[in-house]
């Protein structure tokens, strides 16, 4: 089984497999995701290491760019000369005396506002000669030939005097000094736009207020021998940051709960009734909607018969009988699916999955007539009816689809491992494996496998006609990957078989029907939730850190 | 119209109050319900009903076991309602024995009943009055066991009530131990559990935390029990650790930190325990910050003062935590006395041991002005706390020379001490004065003008040895390298009689400082001669007394050394030498001490002998003759031959060289 899996991956249909493996790995290792769940790293990556580019040349990096040391320059005033030991000591003694010797490094990325509360820790491995070290934040483009804090949009806490530097060459008394062995933490509260430090796990109090957005974690060193290690969150912190996160969550919750509303917007009862009623109608809970409407006096805007029709189709999809659902849709709302090939493809894909699941078996037989008249009849019909062996099917399919399936680059004549034409990556041997699951009559198994493969071919053909976007491609690949396993339910792509996956398909179909009837394609409740969600995204883009603590699902769960 | 209703009230109340005394249970019940409804929420009605004298009848109805339980319940609820009235209402209820009656009732009523709950509720209201009638609840094990059982098992309302009553009641070691035996620790622990995903309720947690704090306060045994008490899979410190986190209500976090503090100070947790270092301390420092309400900040500062009172590492940690210094300086600015007191106490604790922290405190913006203002505060608690703060800071030599001088802190301090202060203030204040009077302190002069000498002399007459010590210590400091007129003033003011008394003091430290004072008074030649010429008889008497009493008594070597040093000082004066020479027993003592096994006494005796035999002065030959006769010369020769006194050989040689005519 293992082998087969890697086979699949090698051929290229195993995208889902690869992904889920990565998922498992990162769940155990990536503490950052747990710390900052609301950060979308595709949009705003988290700082995970020091930048090899965004640093002054006197700075050296090692240990996955997490360790920073002062190396001095190869030229200019900070250049470390080749000298005998004693002279070198003398050089080191003199070097780093002036501010010109200071050097900083920024992290790879700025702190995303959606972190809400960002925190990193620096352990002083060695204070070097004088311990002129600064830990803090700076904006993009701030001079790196400086310790953090000396320039505009730069903020730092310095080890030699314990002062804080807020965009100024003169520091303010802030905290204790720090030296070899100390762990200094720097926290940024993106709700209040403040910054605090910790020393060995002890909160030293707020150092800066009114911080600008998009600051980078920054450290600066000035004298030889200074070495610091950094923990951007990959390791547990010395300071209990979770405690502060809990506080901020509770605070945001209270702020939301206690947000004052003008009177005319505060008529909750009415608004809620309307939302519930429209939700019920939208999803076709017909009798419940009627009962609710009687109790609350909410009008129903849609014809009851129409609701019931939608309900019927939804039930079919939710029961896994997608083929029937497609037929019913065609009958009740002619032209709908023809106008929306993407939706049809989604439904067909689901139908394929349900065939693997065994839920759509009878449906496909019952609905065969319907299928025969469908868009795919020109290719589908003969295969649907064909009871031939796999090799036949392959030949036939190959004959028709070869132009459309350049991806299927297998050797046609190779009998040992013939490829199933029209379904890239699926070998004919799959068919031989499938009967394991159907322990009934061998020929009928074979027939149903045949049907499935034929259906798959149609599906592939259909996908080729659609605009080739990643979404469709991966959906199809995921569905086909199911065939690679003797027990698809237990496979890495087995999630597709879960009944809960039908809901998205059901929703898409329902929305399309509603839209075709000139009604809202989504219910006000969902609109409200997705509105809230997109507001949170907007907040994150607008650098409003509170978005990290507005836990939408927890708020809805109440 | 208004008056008419009042009239009607009283008139109509007449009838049902009469019916309370009826023998017909139905009528009594009806009257009780009417009474109950009339007093709920109206302090005026409560006062009126109490003044009509129904309380004894209510107590009777409540306690009579033969009565219908419903009547008893209504009577108890009515009492409970009355107990929610004005302080005067509660006082009159207590006078009529309500607390005792309720406690008696609790001994018998079935657990879990409504009656028990109502009784506890009434008792809680009465106990929240100050002073609470704690005597009504005897430390009877059976009763306490019953109460803690209620605290563990009964309804939420009853549990909260009983814990609140016990928290108020627990005010001494006896109560602490009794409650511990009755299992109150585990009852409190059970109340401290916050189920996951639920909002912690202060009304439930705070009484339990208060009880726990009251039980552990300065009681190592109870603290040890609390440390080992578990509920579920968590011990009490672990439960407390959960409660000090930032998402808990502030008052809960405060009380939990207080419990941890009390556990630590009672010795159950070491000062470096993570629950102190990462739990209680940061929580308290956070509660002191500006964002919180004044009473939370005041209490947090007070608890933090207690937590950091002795341990230097905790003081250092607190000093860097969450800008505590500026938070405290801000609390000092608050209006309430409690806030000022808390902040000053906290400064006092933080600056107790570490010079760097003292520097940080002093450098906190505008703090010294507030300390000086605090000394002048009319509230004795605030001025006491300010003196404590000053006392801590006065341990810093640097501050004595600079900041204290700039702010003339001695002025308000002297005023406080002259203004019939309480014993505690007097103690801390005089200790501070001691430090202010150190030789290098520039405050010395102006303080003298303010009558410091007189005040200190009075202190030496106090019955409290600590005060006597402070007084004499301060005088000693004052006399050190002082001008002659200062010394004379001290001599005059203290008087020889008082000095004699102090030399015979029961506290060795007082004698030590008294000898120190004498030594300081009798230093430098000119002063010695001047003083001797003026007070020769008394001083010599004093010295004889000092030397004889001290040298013959069983005092520690340090004390005796002081006495010999005084002799040495006198022996340095030109005329005063003769005074010693005239005293044969003193000279004989000197010979004895030259041969004393304790080397520092030998050294001191050598110093005396050296001064007496010094050649360059008039009458030296006669003195040498006399001393040689008494055996001093022989003793010195022995000393020179002795191996043990090798380090003294130089001095011995110098002394012997003076005797050259005899050697």
């Amino acid at each position: 089984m293992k082998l087969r899996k890697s086979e699949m991956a090698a051929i290229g249909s195993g995208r889902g497999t690869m992904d889920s493996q990565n998922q498992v790995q990162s769940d155990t290792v990536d503490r950052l995701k747990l710390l900052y769940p609301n950060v979308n790293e595709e949009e705003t990556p988290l700082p995970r290491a020091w930048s090899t580019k965004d640093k002054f040349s006197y700075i050296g990096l090692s240990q996955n760019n997490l360790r920073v040391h002062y190396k001095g320059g190869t030229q200019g005033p900070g250049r470390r000369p080749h000298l005998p030991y004693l002279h070198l000591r003398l050089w080191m003694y003199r070097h780093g005396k002036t501010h010109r010797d200071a050097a900083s490094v920024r992290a790879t990325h700025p702190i995303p506002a959606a972190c809400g509360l960002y925190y990193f820790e620096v352990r002083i491995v060695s204070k070097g000669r004088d311990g002129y070290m600064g830990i803090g934040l700076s904006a993009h483009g701030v001079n790196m030939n400086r310790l953090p804090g000396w320039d505009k949009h730069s903020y730092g806490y310095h080890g030699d005097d314990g002062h804080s530097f807020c965009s100024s060459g003169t520091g303010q008394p802030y905290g204790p000094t720090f030296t070899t062995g100390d762990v200094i933490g720097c926290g940024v509260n993106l709700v209040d736009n403040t910054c605090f430090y910790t020393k060995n796990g002890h909160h030293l109090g707020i150092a800066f207020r009114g911080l600008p957005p998009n600051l980078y974690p920054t450290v600066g060193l000035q004298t030889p021998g200074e070495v610091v290690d950094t923990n951007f969150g990959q390791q547990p912190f010395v300071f209990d940051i979770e405690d502060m996160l809990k506080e901020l969550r509770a605070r945001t919750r209270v702020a939301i709960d206690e947000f004052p509303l003008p009177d005319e917007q505060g008529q909750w009862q009415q608004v809620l009734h309307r939302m519930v009623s429209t939700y019920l109608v939208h999803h076709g809970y017909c009798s419940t909607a009627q009962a609710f409407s009687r109790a609350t006096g909410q009008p129903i805007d849609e014809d009851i018969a129409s609701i019931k029709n939608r309900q019927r189709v939804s039930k079919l999809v939710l029961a896994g009988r997608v083929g029937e659902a497609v037929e019913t849709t065609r009958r009740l709302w002619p032209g709908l699916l023809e106008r929306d090939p993407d939706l049809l493809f989604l439904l067909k894909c689901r139908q394929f999955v349900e065939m693997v699941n065994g839920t759509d078996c009878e449906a496909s037989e019952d609905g065969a007539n319907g299928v025969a008249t469908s868009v795919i009849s020109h290719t589908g019909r003969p295969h649907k009816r064909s009871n031939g062996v796999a090799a036949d099917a392959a030949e036939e399919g190959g004959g028709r689809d070869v132009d459309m399936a350049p991806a299927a680059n297998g050797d046609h004549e190779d009998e040992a491992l013939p490829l199933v034409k029209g379904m890239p990556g699926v070998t004919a041997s799959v068919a031989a494996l499938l009967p394991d699951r159907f322990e009934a009559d061998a020929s009928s198994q074979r027939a149903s496998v045949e049907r499935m493969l034929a259906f798959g071919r149609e599906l592939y053909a259909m996908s080729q006609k659609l605009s080739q976007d990643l979404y469709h491609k991966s959906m199809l690949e995921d569905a086909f990957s199911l065939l690679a396993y003797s027990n698809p339910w237990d496979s890495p792509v087995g999630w597709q078989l879960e009944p809960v996956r039908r809901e998205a398909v059901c929703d898409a179909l329902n929305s399309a029907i509603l839209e075709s009837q000139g009604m809202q394609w989504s219910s006000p409740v969902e609109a409200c939730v997705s509105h809230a969600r997109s507001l949170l995204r907007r907040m994150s883009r607008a650098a409003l850190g509170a978005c990290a603590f507005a836990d939408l699902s927890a708020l809805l769960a109440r | 119209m208004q008056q008419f209703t009042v009239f009607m009230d009283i008139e109509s109340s007449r009838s049902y109050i009469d019916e309370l005394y009826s023998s017909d249970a139905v009528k009594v019940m009806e009257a009780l319900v009417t009474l109950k409804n009339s007093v709920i929420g109206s302090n005026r009605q409560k006062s009126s009903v109490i003044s009509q004298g129904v309380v004894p009848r209510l107590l009777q109805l409540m306690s009579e076991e033969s009565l219908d339980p419903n009547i008893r319940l209504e009577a108890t609820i009515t009492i409970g309602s009355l107990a929610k009235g004005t302080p005067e209402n509660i006082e009159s209820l207590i006078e009529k024995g309500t607390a005792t009656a309720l406690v008696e009732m609790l001994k018998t009523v079935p657990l879990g009943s409504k009656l028990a709950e109502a009784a506890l509720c009434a008792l809680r209201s009465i106990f929240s009055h100050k002073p609470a009638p704690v005597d009504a609840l005897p430390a009877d094990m059976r009763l306490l066991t019953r109460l803690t059982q209620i605290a563990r098992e009964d309804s939420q309302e009853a549990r909260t009530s009983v814990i609140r009553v016990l928290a108020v009641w627990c005010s001494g070691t006896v109560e602490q131990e009794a409650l511990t035996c009755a299992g109150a620790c585990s009852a409190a622990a059970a109340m401290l559990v916050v189920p996951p995903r639920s909002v912690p309720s202060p009304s439930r947690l705070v009484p339990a935390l208060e009880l726990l704090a009251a039980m552990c306060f300065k009681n190592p045994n109870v603290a040890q029990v609390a440390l080992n008490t578990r509920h579920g899979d968590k011990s009490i410190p672990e439960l407390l650790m959960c409660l000090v986190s930032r998402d808990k209500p502030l008052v809960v976090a405060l009380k939990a930190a207080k419990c941890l503090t009390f556990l630590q100070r009672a010795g159950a947790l070491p000062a470096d325990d993570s629950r102190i270092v990462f739990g209680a301390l940061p929580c308290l420092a956070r509660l002191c910050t500006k964002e919180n309400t004044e009473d939370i900040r005041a209490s947090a500062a007070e608890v933090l003062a207690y937590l950091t009172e002795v341990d230097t590492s905790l003081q250092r940690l607190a000093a860097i935590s969450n800008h505590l210094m500026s938070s405290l300086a801000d609390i000092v600015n608050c209006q309430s006395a409690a806030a000022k007191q808390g902040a000053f106490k906290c400064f006092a604790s933080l600056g107790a041991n570490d010079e760097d922290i003292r520097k940080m405190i002093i450098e906190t913006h505008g703090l010294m002005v507030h300390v000086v203002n605090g000394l002048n505060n009319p509230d004795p608690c605030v001025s006491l706390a300010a003196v404590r703060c000053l006392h801590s800071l006065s341990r810093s030599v640097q501050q004595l020379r600079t900041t204290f001088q700039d702010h003339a802190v001695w002025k308000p301090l002297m005023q406080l001490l002259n203004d019939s202060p309480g014993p505690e203030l007097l103690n801390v204040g005089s200790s501070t004065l001691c430090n202010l009077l150190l030789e290098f302190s520039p405050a010395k002069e102006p303080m003298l003008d303010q009558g410091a000498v007189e005040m200190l002399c009075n202190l030496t007459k106090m019955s409290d040895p600590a005060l006597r010590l402070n007084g004499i210590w301060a005088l000693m400091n004052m006399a050190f390298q002082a001008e002659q007129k200062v010394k004379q003033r001290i001599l005059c003011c203290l008087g020889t009689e008082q000095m004699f008394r102090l030399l015979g003091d029961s506290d060795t430290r007082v004698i030590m400082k008294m000898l120190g004072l004498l030594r300081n008074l009798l230093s430098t030649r000119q002063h010695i001669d001047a003083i001797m010429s003026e007070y020769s008889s008394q001083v010599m008497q004093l010295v004889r007394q000092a030397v004889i009493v001290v040298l013959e008594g069983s005092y520690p070597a340090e004390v005796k050394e002081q006495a010999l040093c005084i002799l040495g000082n006198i022996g340095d004066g030109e005329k005063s030498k003769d005074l010693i020479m005239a005293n044969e027993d003193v000279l004989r003592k000197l010979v004895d001490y030259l041969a004393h096994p304790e080397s520092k006494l030998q050294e001191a005796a050598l110093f005396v002998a050296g001064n007496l035999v010094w050649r360059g002065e008039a009458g030296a030959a006669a003195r040498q003759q006399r001393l040689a006769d008494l055996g001093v010369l022989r003793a010195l020769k022995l000393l020179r031959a002795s191996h043990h006194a090798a380090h003294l050989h130089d001095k011995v040689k110098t002394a012997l060289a003076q005797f050259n005519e005899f050697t």
Side-chain angles (χ1 to χ4, degrees), chain B residues 474-528:
Chain B
L475 284 172
M476 180 186 93
N477 283 346
M478 189 184 266
F480 183 72
Q481 294 186 351
E483 289 171 43
Q484 196 175 333
K485 60 169 190 203
V486 176
K487 293 182 179 177
Q488 280 174 344
R489 196 156 159 192
I490 295 173
L491 263 175
C492 266
C493 190
L494 196 57
T496 35
E497 237 174 276
Q498 178 60 13
M499 285 179 160
F500 279 129
R501 229 173 280 136
L502 288 169
L503 281 173
D505 202 281
S506 56
D507 190 329
T508 319
R509 291 174 304 171
V510 174
I511 301 177
M512 182 84 177
K513 298 301 168 199
M514 180 61 222
L515 291 169
L517 171 64
L518 273 178
R519 190 180 159 186
N520 284 349
L521 287 174
L522 300 172
S523 61
T524 74
R525 263 166 184 242
Q526 298 82 358
H527 290 184
I528 294 168

Side-chain angles (χ1 to χ4, degrees), chain A residues 174 176 199-207 243-244 246-247 250, chain B residues 244-248 277-278 281-282 286 291 317 320-323:
Chain A
Y174 167 68
K199 180 181 174 181
N200 300 325
H202 296 287
H203 195 295
L204 301 178
I206 289 175
D243 195 27
M244 290 191 92
K246 274 197 267 176
E247 183 197 22
Chain B
V244 295
S245 65
R246 286 168 176 263
D247 58 339
K248 299 291 179 293
V277 172
F278 292 106
L281 193 143
R286 173 170 58 89
E291 295 93 70
L317 197 53
I320 63 159
S321 285
N322 221 330
H323 294 316

Side-chain angles (χ1 to χ4, degrees), chain A residues 50 59-61 66-70 105 219 221 226-228 230:
Chain A
W50 297 111
I59 289 283
L61 296 175
L66 291 174
R67 173 169 281 195
V68 183
H69 66 269
Y70 187 84
V105 57
V219 294
L221 307 174
E226 291 168 352
V227 183
V228 300
T230 321

Side-chain angles (χ1 to χ4, degrees), chain A residues 430-476:
Chain A
V430 164
L433 279 164
L434 288 174
D436 291 354
R437 313 192 265 111
F438 304 102
E439 292 189 2
D441 177 17
S443 71
S444 90
Q445 290 161 16
R446 200 131 191 103
S448 62
V449 168
E450 276 312 311
R451 266 202 305 280
M452 205 188 309
L453 292 176
F455 189 81
R457 255 174 246 120
E458 286 165 30
L459 206 52
Y460 180 73
M462 191 177 167
S463 80
Q464 295 298 308
K465 288 194 193 108
L466 291 172
S467 57
Q468 283 281 359
D469 65 2
L470 249 171
Y471 175 68
H472 286 130
K473 219 174 146 190
S474 69
M475 188 161 65
L476 193 64

Side-chain angles (χ1 to χ4, degrees), chain A residues 394-446:
Chain A
E395 259 169 43
E396 268 183 77
R400 284 199 175 104
D401 294 350
V402 72
D403 306 328
M404 297 176 208
N409 56 351
D411 188 346
H412 291 242
E413 267 62 56
D414 189 346
E415 281 179 19
L417 197 70
L419 279 168
V420 179
K421 285 294 158 200
M423 292 175 71
V426 179
T427 59
S429 63
V430 164
L433 279 164
L434 288 174
D436 291 354
R437 313 192 265 111
F438 304 102
E439 292 189 2
D441 177 17
S443 71
S444 90
Q445 290 161 16
R446 200 131 191 103

